[in-house]
Amino acid sequence: MSSVQISVKPQEALVDEKVHIRVDGLPKNGPITIKASVQEGKLRFSSYGCYTATEEGHVVIEEQSASEGTYTGIEQMGLFWSMKPEPSCRQNVRFLKKDITTPIVVTFSVLEGHHSWENLFDPPPKPLATLDVLRWYKHPRVSRERVTEGNIRGALFIPPGPGPFPGVIDMFGSGGGLMDHRAALLASRGFIVFALPFFAYEDLPSTMPEVSLDYLIESTEWFAGLPNVKPEGIGMIGLSKGGMYTLELCRHVPKIKAVVLVNGVTFYSDVPLKYSKGDIENTQFLFEGIQMTPEGIDIVNCYQPSDHEFIKAWESEAHILCVVCLDDRSLNYKVTDHFLRLVPEEHKHRFHLIKYPQAGHLLEPPYSPHCRSSFHKVFQFDFFWGGETKPHSDAQEDSWGRILDYFSEHLNRDHNLASKSIQPPSKL
């Protein structure tokens, strides 16, 4: 019977929390491989790092360097952010937790010797020790409520306690449907959050051209008026196309006080935006700018908006943070630079910019696997999103802390609540 033991502390935590990984009981200076695996639906993601034990027979991930693997060097969370689809699975795929009311179960395995990616599967080597680790987007004490209020659809996440709480609306991009993992994590950090879908969900319009600004205004005003939302004002966060809607909404809903664009569109894109007071025309998509790459289509040169096609977000009173990745192959960062140059001088103090070199379009919460390309279910193509895995992961970690701080500053989050994470209990 093997005397090897692996420990991960905490063994149960939120997905944005670091863990301490240690292996004991190894032969002196013995070579080992640590593998991490996740099953999500039919997909399996894995990662690995090769280590050499100390004289005392230990490996401590945050102190020792991986000589090879899906990452190298001293990387405390490398086994999480370097995960990629296993060889038997579709490769161009994004890791998405479909049911955030259950944890991500990460299985750690300690293997004797140094292994390569190719010989970790079919069949996998027999492990010396294994351990399951639970990672949550939604803390068990955060409630999730399905929203069916008149025309309004989505999911509402409410932190524990009496409230009221600082409110945030969370929107994603042109893939449609409901994505609520980031909303759940924000709620686990003390915000009340409304994950707001805008098409291809339940009885909402089935296609993006049918999306109505009136629906988005109605939904935003409904959320801002909830009794457990702080009345001083709300925030919004939007990725990609969702960023376009958040910028436009802050021009119509005065209660929006803080907006975060994550590689967000700053101009009217793709299709006209329906509105009862007059539809808003979009900038032309330049099909000749499409580049076909081995990893998918690159559309970074397909948008060249004129000045009048940018959203005049400065007409609101909101503070706006633009999180921009410089290797985004879906949206040219120079377009955002131009948007910020258009901001009148007297409003520039409310606009802020963070840039991340070598990071791509799909910026997720910390330690999420990097998705460099994936199949776009609406456009029916593989899209090339860009980014290099290590810099992209660094950007995810750094930007998340800045986003939390930005909302805390502008939405008056309770500092006692902000200073302490909601720790998952050791046993549910």
Side-chain angles (χ1 to χ4, degrees):
M1 184 175 180
S2 173
S3 61
V4 175
Q5 292 184 321
I6 181 171
S7 65
V8 179
K9 295 181 180 179
Q11 194 171 339
E12 185 174 5
L14 295 174
V15 297
D16 62 354
E17 292 185 75
K18 289 186 174 181
V19 296
H20 306 279
I21 305 170
R22 179 185 176 106
V23 182
D24 295 294
L26 297 166
K28 174 182 175 180
N29 299 324
I32 65 160
T33 299
I34 304 176
K35 175 187 173 188
S37 299
V38 170
Q39 179 95 36
E40 180 61 28
K42 296 180 180 179
L43 297 173
R44 279 186 64 83
F45 287 74
S46 286
S47 61
Y48 78 106
C50 297
Y51 293 87
T52 299
T54 63
E55 294 277 334
E56 295 77 25
H58 308 306
V59 167
V60 181
I61 295 274
E62 64 200 83
E63 299 174 0
Q64 292 170 245
S65 181
S67 59
E68 58 182 293
T70 47
Y71 63 97
T72 56
I74 300 175
E75 295 290 347
Q76 183 174 351
M77 299 298 288
L79 285 164
F80 293 91
W81 57 253
S82 72
M83 281 191 175
K84 59 183 183 178
E86 292 187 359
S88 62
C89 298
R90 177 179 169 83
Q91 294 304 293
N92 294 346
V93 67
R94 182 180 182 182
F95 179 86
L96 286 174
K97 186 76 174 74
K98 298 295 178 64
D99 180 6
I100 52 77
T101 64
T102 62
I104 300 169
V105 180
V106 184
T107 299
F108 286 84
S109 303
V110 181
L111 310 174
E112 185 177 5
H114 286 171
H115 293 264
S116 65
W117 177 252
E118 291 73 21
N119 68 7
L120 288 175
F121 314 99
D122 298 325
K126 184 177 180 181
L128 300 173
T130 63
L131 181 70
D132 284 346
V133 171
L134 306 183
R135 307 281 288 174
W136 294 86
Y137 282 105
K138 187 188 81 67
H139 187 281
R141 291 172 58 207
V142 169
S143 66
R144 181 189 188 276
E145 298 179 3
R146 178 169 169 256
V147 174
T148 54
E149 183 73 23
N151 297 319
I152 303 167
R153 300 292 179 266
L156 185 66
F157 293 88
I158 307 172
F165 307 98
V168 175
I169 293 177
D170 189 6
M171 300 183 72
F172 276 83
S174 57
L178 174 67
M179 297 180 67
D180 60 359
H181 60 287
R182 187 171 60 191
L185 189 58
L186 282 167
S188 298
R189 293 302 180 196
F191 300 93
I192 180 171
V193 188
F194 179 31
L196 175 59
F198 45 94
F199 79 100
Y201 175 72
E202 294 189 350
D203 56 354
L204 292 178
S206 58
T207 62
M208 195 160 51
E210 301 173 83
V211 175
S212 162
L213 179 58
D214 300 275
Y215 163 76
L216 297 174
I217 293 172
E218 179 187 5
S219 301
T220 303
E221 291 178 338
W222 167 81
F223 173 73
L226 291 176
N228 46 2
V229 173
K230 280 191 172 184
E232 298 91 341
I234 64 170
M236 297 197 75
I237 182 170
L239 171 74
S240 192
K241 183 74 172 181
M244 187 201 86
Y245 294 126
T246 63
L247 274 188
E248 179 63 18
L249 281 165
C250 73
R251 300 177 63 236
H252 300 270
V253 183
K255 278 205 168 185
I256 299 173
K257 301 302 182 185
V259 172
V260 175
L261 302 187
V262 182
N263 293 317
V265 178
T266 54
F267 54 93
Y268 301 103
S269 69
D270 301 318
V271 294
L273 178 57
K274 287 189 172 184
Y275 187 35
S276 59
K277 296 182 180 180
D279 292 357
I280 302 171
E281 292 302 314
N282 59 289
T283 190
Q284 183 180 4
F285 183 88
L286 304 175
F287 287 92
E288 61 271 23
I290 294 175
Q291 300 178 57
M292 305 303 294
T293 80
E295 296 179 86
I297 64 171
D298 179 328
I299 62 169
V300 74
N301 295 317
C302 292
Y303 297 108
Q304 296 178 12
S306 302
D307 287 2
H308 72 276
E309 293 170 326
F310 283 91
I311 300 167
K312 296 179 177 61
W314 50 86
E315 294 178 349
S316 75
E317 296 183 359
H319 289 259
I320 293 166
L321 173 64
C322 298
V323 178
V324 174
C325 295
L326 303 190
D327 194 33
D328 184 341
R329 307 312 302 173
S330 181
L331 186 64
N332 195 326
Y333 71 89
K334 294 178 182 178
V335 174
T336 303
D337 287 345
H338 188 72
F339 163 74
L340 292 171
R341 285 196 293 271
L342 293 176
V343 177
E345 196 63 38
E346 64 271 24
H347 297 294
K348 285 188 184 294
H349 67 282
R350 292 188 287 109
F351 289 74
H352 308 88
L353 173 66
I354 307 172
K355 289 183 175 180
Y356 293 104
Q358 295 180 279
H361 187 67
L362 296 181
L363 205 66
E364 297 277 19
Y367 321 125
S368 301
H370 169 216
C371 179
R372 187 172 164 85
S373 62
S374 67
F375 183 74
H376 197 299
K377 62 185 180 182
V378 172
F379 296 109
Q380 296 290 297
F381 281 102
D382 279 341
F383 268 56
F384 179 31
W385 306 115
E388 301 296 331
T389 298
K390 168 60 176 162
H392 188 90
S393 173
D394 290 343
Q396 291 186 153
E397 182 176 357
D398 184 78
S399 64
W400 183 247
R402 291 173 183 261
I403 289 166
L404 293 177
D405 289 345
Y406 199 77
F407 281 142
S408 296
E409 176 185 356
H410 295 290
L411 302 180
N412 300 314
R413 182 170 65 156
D414 184 296
H415 286 285
N416 290 327
L417 181 61
S419 65
K420 56 185 179 181
S421 64
I422 306 173
Q423 296 292 336
S426 58
K427 292 184 179 180
L428 298 183

